[in-house]
């Protein structure tokens, strides 16, 4: 599939880049695979050797020719070191755990079972995973189904609160930017009078 001229920004095209946890997402404009990698790593704060894959299905993008066939705004994931692509909402990678059909949650579930207050410290990806989990399928890890039901509900509440807080922060940033712009305009108007 050839890219049409109206999608071009100079000699570059826009892409989306995401880290393996899917918590950081940025836009990048690049004209080559290497330029994309350089800009994406800078935005994500990643150094060293990386692999580029399609976020949707984990297909590796390692050739310039294939990169040039991608449509604009394609979402690409940067994997650093020994990170692996995981289907969104599917499995949570916990250091020291093997991820095998959701059983990688075992260590996390056990830690939360010991102290449920740790749920408030989890990131959005982990909270989303817990709020989407099926408690019935995890009773072999934690036999206490009531706990799993409560954990699912609490995770959903914390995830919702976290999203609302992020939206409030985004609105405050917009308000601050607008205020600064208005002050700058007012200063320019005073100077020009």
């Amino acid at each position: 599939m050839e890219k049409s001229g109206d999608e071009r920004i100079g000699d570059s095209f826009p892409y989306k880049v995401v880290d393996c946890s899917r918590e950081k997402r940025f836009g990048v404009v690049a004209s080559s695979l290497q330029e994309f990698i350089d800009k994406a790593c800078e935005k994500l704060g990643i150094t060293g050797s990386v692999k580029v894959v399609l976020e949707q299905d984990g297909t590796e993008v390692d050739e310039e020719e294939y990169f040039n066939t991608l449509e604009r705004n394609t979402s690409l994931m940067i994997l650093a070191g020994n990170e692996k692509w995981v289907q969104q909402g599917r499995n949570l990678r916990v250091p020291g755990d093997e991820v095998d059909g959701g059983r990688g949650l075992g260590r996390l579930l056990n830690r939360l079972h010991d102290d449920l207050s740790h749920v408030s410290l989890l990131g959005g990806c982990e909270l989303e995973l817990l709020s989407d989990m099926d408690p019935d399928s995890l009773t072999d890890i934690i036999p206490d189904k009531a706990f799993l039901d409560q954990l699912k509900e609490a995770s959903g509440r914390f995830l919702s609160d976290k999203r609302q807080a992020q939206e409030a922060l985004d609105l405050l940033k917009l308000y601050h930017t607008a205020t600064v712009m208005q002050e700058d305009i007012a200063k320019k108007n005073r100077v020009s009078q």
Side-chain angles (χ1 to χ4, degrees), residues 3 5 7 20 31 76-77 95 103 111-113 121 125 130 142 147 151 153 156 161-162 190:
K3 300 174 186 177
E7 297 171 349
C20 76
S31 60
L76 299 166
M77 180 180 286
R103 298 304 183 238
R111 190 177 80 210
L112 291 172
H113 191 257
L121 304 174
C125 186
L130 290 172
I142 303 287
F147 166 78
L151 178 60
E153 183 182 333
D161 291 348
K162 187 172 265 212
R190 283 192 297 262

Side-chain angles (χ1 to χ4, degrees), residues 115-170:
D115 187 356
L116 189 56
S117 68
H118 288 294
V119 75
S120 64
L121 304 174
L122 298 177
C125 186
E126 295 158 324
L127 289 171
E128 186 174 333
L129 180 67
L130 290 172
S131 67
D132 290 342
M133 73 178 175
D134 176 16
D136 293 328
S137 69
L138 298 170
T139 54
D140 58 328
I141 297 172
I142 303 287
D144 186 355
K145 185 174 178 313
F147 166 78
L148 292 171
D149 289 333
Q150 291 170 352
L151 178 60
K152 178 179 174 121
E153 183 182 333
S155 298
R157 281 196 312 266
F158 277 111
L159 182 61
S160 176
D161 291 348
K162 187 172 265 212
R163 286 180 178 158
Q164 286 178 354
Q166 186 60 51
E167 288 171 3
L169 286 172
D170 291 343

Side-chain angles (χ1 to χ4, degrees), residues 15-20 24-30 32-53 76-81 83:
Y15 301 94
K16 294 176 185 168
V17 61
V18 63
D19 67 339
C20 76
K24 295 179 184 175
R25 188 175 295 273
F26 298 99
V28 172
V29 176
S32 69
L33 179 58
Q34 189 58 52
E35 182 182 8
F36 172 80
I37 291 170
D38 294 342
K39 288 182 174 183
C41 287
E42 182 180 332
K43 291 231 183 202
L44 295 172
I46 296 174
T47 58
S49 178
V50 297
K51 184 171 24 172
V52 178
V53 299
L76 299 166
M77 180 180 286
I78 299 289
L79 301 173
E83 293 176 335

